[in-house]
PDB file of all heavy atoms in Angstrom:
ATOM      1  N   LEU T   1      28.453 -57.548 -23.428  1.00  0.00           N
ATOM      2  CA  LEU T   1      27.310 -57.717 -24.318  1.00  0.00           C
ATOM      3  C   LEU T   1      27.173 -56.511 -25.242  1.00  0.00           C
ATOM      4  O   LEU T   1      27.002 -56.649 -26.451  1.00  0.00           O
ATOM      5  CB  LEU T   1      26.023 -57.931 -23.523  1.00  0.00           C
ATOM      6  CG  LEU T   1      24.736 -58.013 -24.334  1.00  0.00           C
ATOM      7  CD1 LEU T   1      24.767 -59.211 -25.278  1.00  0.00           C
ATOM      8  CD2 LEU T   1      23.535 -58.103 -23.407  1.00  0.00           C
ATOM      9  N   SER T   2      27.279 -55.311 -24.668  1.00  0.00           N
ATOM     10  CA  SER T   2      27.174 -54.082 -25.460  1.00  0.00           C
ATOM     11  C   SER T   2      28.273 -54.007 -26.508  1.00  0.00           C
ATOM     12  O   SER T   2      28.035 -53.581 -27.637  1.00  0.00           O
ATOM     13  CB  SER T   2      27.263 -52.856 -24.551  1.00  0.00           C
ATOM     14  OG  SER T   2      26.220 -52.847 -23.619  1.00  0.00           O
ATOM     15  N   HIS T   3      29.470 -54.414 -26.129  1.00  0.00           N
ATOM     16  CA  HIS T   3      30.602 -54.391 -27.065  1.00  0.00           C
ATOM     17  C   HIS T   3      30.323 -55.304 -28.260  1.00  0.00           C
ATOM     18  O   HIS T   3      30.561 -54.928 -29.403  1.00  0.00           O
ATOM     19  CB  HIS T   3      31.873 -54.835 -26.332  1.00  0.00           C
ATOM     20  CG  HIS T   3      33.103 -54.824 -27.174  1.00  0.00           C
ATOM     21  ND1 HIS T   3      33.734 -53.656 -27.547  1.00  0.00           N
ATOM     22  CD2 HIS T   3      33.833 -55.828 -27.715  1.00  0.00           C
ATOM     23  CE1 HIS T   3      34.796 -53.944 -28.283  1.00  0.00           C
ATOM     24  NE2 HIS T   3      34.872 -55.260 -28.398  1.00  0.00           N
ATOM     25  N   ARG T   4      29.801 -56.491 -27.993  1.00  0.00           N
ATOM     26  CA  ARG T   4      29.491 -57.440 -29.068  1.00  0.00           C
ATOM     27  C   ARG T   4      28.400 -56.882 -29.982  1.00  0.00           C
ATOM     28  O   ARG T   4      28.504 -56.926 -31.199  1.00  0.00           O
ATOM     29  CB  ARG T   4      29.069 -58.780 -28.476  1.00  0.00           C
ATOM     30  CG  ARG T   4      28.973 -59.864 -29.540  1.00  0.00           C
ATOM     31  CD  ARG T   4      28.603 -61.208 -28.978  1.00  0.00           C
ATOM     32  NE  ARG T   4      27.167 -61.208 -28.746  1.00  0.00           N
ATOM     33  CZ  ARG T   4      26.576 -61.678 -27.660  1.00  0.00           C
ATOM     34  NH1 ARG T   4      27.284 -62.192 -26.697  1.00  0.00           N
ATOM     35  NH2 ARG T   4      25.267 -61.652 -27.533  1.00  0.00           N
ATOM     36  N   VAL T   5      27.349 -56.329 -29.374  1.00  0.00           N
ATOM     37  CA  VAL T   5      26.237 -55.774 -30.148  1.00  0.00           C
ATOM     38  C   VAL T   5      26.709 -54.587 -30.978  1.00  0.00           C
ATOM     39  O   VAL T   5      26.380 -54.473 -32.156  1.00  0.00           O
ATOM     40  CB  VAL T   5      25.070 -55.381 -29.222  1.00  0.00           C
ATOM     41  CG1 VAL T   5      24.039 -54.560 -29.969  1.00  0.00           C
ATOM     42  CG2 VAL T   5      24.444 -56.620 -28.614  1.00  0.00           C
ATOM     43  N   ALA T   6      27.509 -53.708 -30.390  1.00  0.00           N
ATOM     44  CA  ALA T   6      27.987 -52.521 -31.102  1.00  0.00           C
ATOM     45  C   ALA T   6      28.809 -52.911 -32.323  1.00  0.00           C
ATOM     46  O   ALA T   6      28.715 -52.275 -33.373  1.00  0.00           O
ATOM     47  CB  ALA T   6      28.804 -51.635 -30.176  1.00  0.00           C
ATOM     48  N   SER T   7      29.604 -53.967 -32.197  1.00  0.00           N
ATOM     49  CA  SER T   7      30.425 -54.380 -33.330  1.00  0.00           C
ATOM     50  C   SER T   7      29.578 -54.988 -34.446  1.00  0.00           C
ATOM     51  O   SER T   7      29.990 -55.000 -35.601  1.00  0.00           O
ATOM     52  CB  SER T   7      31.505 -55.365 -32.879  1.00  0.00           C
ATOM     53  OG  SER T   7      30.922 -56.554 -32.402  1.00  0.00           O
ATOM     54  N   GLN T   8      28.376 -55.479 -34.122  1.00  0.00           N
ATOM     55  CA  GLN T   8      27.496 -56.067 -35.134  1.00  0.00           C
ATOM     56  C   GLN T   8      26.577 -55.035 -35.785  1.00  0.00           C
ATOM     57  O   GLN T   8      26.065 -55.272 -36.867  1.00  0.00           O
ATOM     58  CB  GLN T   8      26.617 -57.158 -34.511  1.00  0.00           C
ATOM     59  CG  GLN T   8      27.392 -58.350 -34.015  1.00  0.00           C
ATOM     60  CD  GLN T   8      26.518 -59.296 -33.207  1.00  0.00           C
ATOM     61  OE1 GLN T   8      25.362 -59.010 -32.923  1.00  0.00           O
ATOM     62  NE2 GLN T   8      27.083 -60.435 -32.824  1.00  0.00           N
ATOM     63  N   CYS T   9      26.366 -53.922 -35.112  1.00  0.00           N
ATOM     64  CA  CYS T   9      25.366 -52.952 -35.564  1.00  0.00           C
ATOM     65  C   CYS T   9      25.793 -52.150 -36.783  1.00  0.00           C
ATOM     66  O   CYS T   9      25.054 -52.023 -37.731  1.00  0.00           O
ATOM     67  CB  CYS T   9      25.015 -51.976 -34.439  1.00  0.00           C
ATOM     68  SG  CYS T   9      23.834 -52.650 -33.269  1.00  0.00           S
ATOM     69  N   SER T  10      26.936 -51.558 -36.735  1.00  0.00           N
ATOM     70  CA  SER T  10      27.287 -50.589 -37.768  1.00  0.00           C
ATOM     71  C   SER T  10      28.769 -50.652 -38.075  1.00  0.00           C
ATOM     72  O   SER T  10      29.588 -50.866 -37.182  1.00  0.00           O
ATOM     73  CB  SER T  10      26.915 -49.186 -37.286  1.00  0.00           C
ATOM     74  OG  SER T  10      27.339 -48.224 -38.208  1.00  0.00           O
ATOM     75  N   SER T  11      29.097 -50.429 -39.318  1.00  0.00           N
ATOM     76  CA  SER T  11      30.510 -50.390 -39.686  1.00  0.00           C
ATOM     77  C   SER T  11      31.119 -49.031 -39.332  1.00  0.00           C
ATOM     78  O   SER T  11      32.323 -48.908 -39.213  1.00  0.00           O
ATOM     79  CB  SER T  11      30.669 -50.667 -41.180  1.00  0.00           C
ATOM     80  OG  SER T  11      29.952 -49.703 -41.928  1.00  0.00           O
ATOM     81  N   ASP T  12      30.279 -48.011 -39.185  1.00  0.00           N
ATOM     82  CA  ASP T  12      30.770 -46.686 -38.805  1.00  0.00           C
ATOM     83  C   ASP T  12      31.042 -46.644 -37.311  1.00  0.00           C
ATOM     84  O   ASP T  12      30.531 -47.448 -36.543  1.00  0.00           O
ATOM     85  CB  ASP T  12      29.734 -45.608 -39.147  1.00  0.00           C
ATOM     86  CG  ASP T  12      29.517 -45.485 -40.645  1.00  0.00           C
ATOM     87  OD1 ASP T  12      30.405 -45.902 -41.409  1.00  0.00           O
ATOM     88  OD2 ASP T  12      28.451 -44.983 -41.042  1.00  0.00           O
ATOM     89  N   ALA T  13      31.832 -45.694 -36.901  1.00  0.00           N
ATOM     90  CA  ALA T  13      32.165 -45.539 -35.484  1.00  0.00           C
ATOM     91  C   ALA T  13      31.047 -44.764 -34.777  1.00  0.00           C
ATOM     92  O   ALA T  13      31.251 -43.667 -34.280  1.00  0.00           O
ATOM     93  CB  ALA T  13      33.490 -44.833 -35.333  1.00  0.00           C
ATOM     94  N   VAL T  14      29.855 -45.344 -34.741  1.00  0.00           N
ATOM     95  CA  VAL T  14      28.706 -44.693 -34.124  1.00  0.00           C
ATOM     96  C   VAL T  14      28.701 -44.943 -32.618  1.00  0.00           C
ATOM     97  O   VAL T  14      28.313 -44.095 -31.837  1.00  0.00           O
ATOM     98  CB  VAL T  14      27.390 -45.205 -34.750  1.00  0.00           C
ATOM     99  CG1 VAL T  14      26.183 -44.601 -34.073  1.00  0.00           C
ATOM    100  CG2 VAL T  14      27.364 -44.899 -36.231  1.00  0.00           C
ATOM    101  N   PHE T  15      29.147 -46.125 -32.217  1.00  0.00           N
ATOM    102  CA  PHE T  15      29.144 -46.513 -30.812  1.00  0.00           C
ATOM    103  C   PHE T  15      30.555 -46.435 -30.244  1.00  0.00           C
ATOM    104  O   PHE T  15      31.496 -46.912 -30.857  1.00  0.00           O
ATOM    105  CB  PHE T  15      28.616 -47.940 -30.641  1.00  0.00           C
ATOM    106  CG  PHE T  15      27.201 -48.108 -31.100  1.00  0.00           C
ATOM    107  CD1 PHE T  15      26.917 -48.620 -32.356  1.00  0.00           C
ATOM    108  CD2 PHE T  15      26.144 -47.744 -30.281  1.00  0.00           C
ATOM    109  CE1 PHE T  15      25.615 -48.771 -32.787  1.00  0.00           C
ATOM    110  CE2 PHE T  15      24.834 -47.884 -30.706  1.00  0.00           C
ATOM    111  CZ  PHE T  15      24.570 -48.404 -31.959  1.00  0.00           C
ATOM    112  N   VAL T  16      30.659 -45.867 -29.064  1.00  0.00           N
ATOM    113  CA  VAL T  16      31.943 -45.834 -28.380  1.00  0.00           C
ATOM    114  C   VAL T  16      32.006 -47.067 -27.494  1.00  0.00           C
ATOM    115  O   VAL T  16      31.094 -47.336 -26.709  1.00  0.00           O
ATOM    116  CB  VAL T  16      32.085 -44.555 -27.509  1.00  0.00           C
ATOM    117  CG1 VAL T  16      33.369 -44.599 -26.715  1.00  0.00           C
ATOM    118  CG2 VAL T  16      32.027 -43.322 -28.381  1.00  0.00           C
ATOM    119  N   THR T  17      33.067 -47.820 -27.638  1.00  0.00           N
ATOM    120  CA  THR T  17      33.241 -49.006 -26.820  1.00  0.00           C
ATOM    121  C   THR T  17      34.699 -49.096 -26.379  1.00  0.00           C
ATOM    122  O   THR T  17      35.548 -48.352 -26.882  1.00  0.00           O
ATOM    123  CB  THR T  17      32.773 -50.270 -27.576  1.00  0.00           C
ATOM    124  OG1 THR T  17      32.817 -51.388 -26.698  1.00  0.00           O
ATOM    125  CG2 THR T  17      33.610 -50.530 -28.805  1.00  0.00           C
ATOM    126  N   TYR T  18      34.962 -49.964 -25.467  1.00  0.00           N
ATOM    127  CA  TYR T  18      36.304 -50.054 -24.916  1.00  0.00           C
ATOM    128  C   TYR T  18      37.284 -50.674 -25.911  1.00  0.00           C
ATOM    129  O   TYR T  18      36.918 -51.478 -26.757  1.00  0.00           O
ATOM    130  CB  TYR T  18      36.301 -50.850 -23.613  1.00  0.00           C
ATOM    131  CG  TYR T  18      35.867 -52.300 -23.757  1.00  0.00           C
ATOM    132  CD1 TYR T  18      36.793 -53.297 -24.014  1.00  0.00           C
ATOM    133  CD2 TYR T  18      34.533 -52.659 -23.627  1.00  0.00           C
ATOM    134  CE1 TYR T  18      36.406 -54.612 -24.150  1.00  0.00           C
ATOM    135  CE2 TYR T  18      34.132 -53.971 -23.766  1.00  0.00           C
ATOM    136  CZ  TYR T  18      35.077 -54.959 -24.024  1.00  0.00           C
ATOM    137  OH  TYR T  18      34.693 -56.260 -24.160  1.00  0.00           O
ATOM    138  N   ALA T  19      38.546 -50.266 -25.790  1.00  0.00           N
ATOM    139  CA  ALA T  19      39.603 -50.845 -26.610  1.00  0.00           C
ATOM    140  C   ALA T  19      40.231 -52.038 -25.882  1.00  0.00           C
ATOM    141  O   ALA T  19      40.633 -53.016 -26.507  1.00  0.00           O
ATOM    142  CB  ALA T  19      40.682 -49.804 -26.895  1.00  0.00           C
ATOM    143  N   ARG T  20      40.320 -51.942 -24.574  1.00  0.00           N
ATOM    144  CA  ARG T  20      40.870 -52.988 -23.705  1.00  0.00           C
ATOM    145  C   ARG T  20      40.163 -52.890 -22.367  1.00  0.00           C
ATOM    146  O   ARG T  20      39.499 -51.897 -22.082  1.00  0.00           O
ATOM    147  CB  ARG T  20      42.362 -52.764 -23.432  1.00  0.00           C
ATOM    148  CG  ARG T  20      43.302 -52.901 -24.580  1.00  0.00           C
ATOM    149  CD  ARG T  20      44.756 -52.514 -24.205  1.00  0.00           C
ATOM    150  NE  ARG T  20      45.180 -52.959 -22.898  1.00  0.00           N
ATOM    151  CZ  ARG T  20      45.796 -54.124 -22.621  1.00  0.00           C
ATOM    152  NH1 ARG T  20      46.038 -54.959 -23.593  1.00  0.00           N
ATOM    153  NH2 ARG T  20      46.167 -54.433 -21.414  1.00  0.00           N
ATOM    154  N   TYR T  21      40.376 -53.878 -21.556  1.00  0.00           N
ATOM    155  CA  TYR T  21      39.920 -53.816 -20.171  1.00  0.00           C
ATOM    156  C   TYR T  21      40.891 -54.615 -19.317  1.00  0.00           C
ATOM    157  O   TYR T  21      41.649 -55.460 -19.810  1.00  0.00           O
ATOM    158  CB  TYR T  21      38.497 -54.352 -20.016  1.00  0.00           C
ATOM    159  CG  TYR T  21      38.383 -55.843 -20.153  1.00  0.00           C
ATOM    160  CD1 TYR T  21      38.447 -56.675 -19.033  1.00  0.00           C
ATOM    161  CD2 TYR T  21      38.229 -56.427 -21.403  1.00  0.00           C
ATOM    162  CE1 TYR T  21      38.368 -58.048 -19.171  1.00  0.00           C
ATOM    163  CE2 TYR T  21      38.145 -57.790 -21.544  1.00  0.00           C
ATOM    164  CZ  TYR T  21      38.221 -58.607 -20.428  1.00  0.00           C
ATOM    165  OH  TYR T  21      38.150 -59.963 -20.563  1.00  0.00           O
ATOM    166  N   PHE T  22      40.909 -54.309 -18.045  1.00  0.00           N
ATOM    167  CA  PHE T  22      41.701 -55.049 -17.082  1.00  0.00           C
ATOM    168  C   PHE T  22      41.057 -54.844 -15.717  1.00  0.00           C
ATOM    169  O   PHE T  22      40.063 -54.132 -15.592  1.00  0.00           O
ATOM    170  CB  PHE T  22      43.178 -54.614 -17.092  1.00  0.00           C
ATOM    171  CG  PHE T  22      43.404 -53.154 -16.836  1.00  0.00           C
ATOM    172  CD1 PHE T  22      43.644 -52.677 -15.551  1.00  0.00           C
ATOM    173  CD2 PHE T  22      43.390 -52.243 -17.884  1.00  0.00           C
ATOM    174  CE1 PHE T  22      43.863 -51.329 -15.324  1.00  0.00           C
ATOM    175  CE2 PHE T  22      43.612 -50.896 -17.671  1.00  0.00           C
ATOM    176  CZ  PHE T  22      43.849 -50.436 -16.379  1.00  0.00           C
ATOM    177  N   HIS T  23      41.599 -55.479 -14.712  1.00  0.00           N
ATOM    178  CA  HIS T  23      41.065 -55.364 -13.356  1.00  0.00           C
ATOM    179  C   HIS T  23      42.119 -54.766 -12.433  1.00  0.00           C
ATOM    180  O   HIS T  23      43.318 -54.988 -12.629  1.00  0.00           O
ATOM    181  CB  HIS T  23      40.622 -56.721 -12.825  1.00  0.00           C
ATOM    182  CG  HIS T  23      39.449 -57.268 -13.568  1.00  0.00           C
ATOM    183  ND1 HIS T  23      39.580 -58.079 -14.673  1.00  0.00           N
ATOM    184  CD2 HIS T  23      38.118 -57.095 -13.391  1.00  0.00           C
ATOM    185  CE1 HIS T  23      38.385 -58.393 -15.135  1.00  0.00           C
ATOM    186  NE2 HIS T  23      37.474 -57.803 -14.386  1.00  0.00           N
ATOM    187  N   ILE T  24      41.643 -54.011 -11.465  1.00  0.00           N
ATOM    188  CA  ILE T  24      42.506 -53.426 -10.451  1.00  0.00           C
ATOM    189  C   ILE T  24      42.084 -54.016  -9.106  1.00  0.00           C
ATOM    190  O   ILE T  24      40.910 -53.909  -8.727  1.00  0.00           O
ATOM    191  CB  ILE T  24      42.361 -51.887 -10.393  1.00  0.00           C
ATOM    192  CG1 ILE T  24      42.751 -51.255 -11.725  1.00  0.00           C
ATOM    193  CG2 ILE T  24      43.176 -51.310  -9.246  1.00  0.00           C
ATOM    194  CD1 ILE T  24      42.412 -49.777 -11.835  1.00  0.00           C
ATOM    195  N   ASP T  25      43.011 -54.635  -8.415  1.00  0.00           N
ATOM    196  CA  ASP T  25      42.751 -55.120  -7.055  1.00  0.00           C
ATOM    197  C   ASP T  25      43.278 -54.057  -6.104  1.00  0.00           C
ATOM    198  O   ASP T  25      44.479 -53.759  -6.095  1.00  0.00           O
ATOM    199  CB  ASP T  25      43.442 -56.461  -6.814  1.00  0.00           C
ATOM    200  CG  ASP T  25      42.808 -57.573  -7.642  1.00  0.00           C
ATOM    201  OD1 ASP T  25      41.569 -57.685  -7.608  1.00  0.00           O
ATOM    202  OD2 ASP T  25      43.548 -58.308  -8.327  1.00  0.00           O
TER     203      ASP T  25
END
């Protein structure tokens, strides 16, 4: 949710968000 909101908020790199994600079992 935060990633989606951050991408809508600002064109500048104001928010740090993940580039990728994965799972570790």
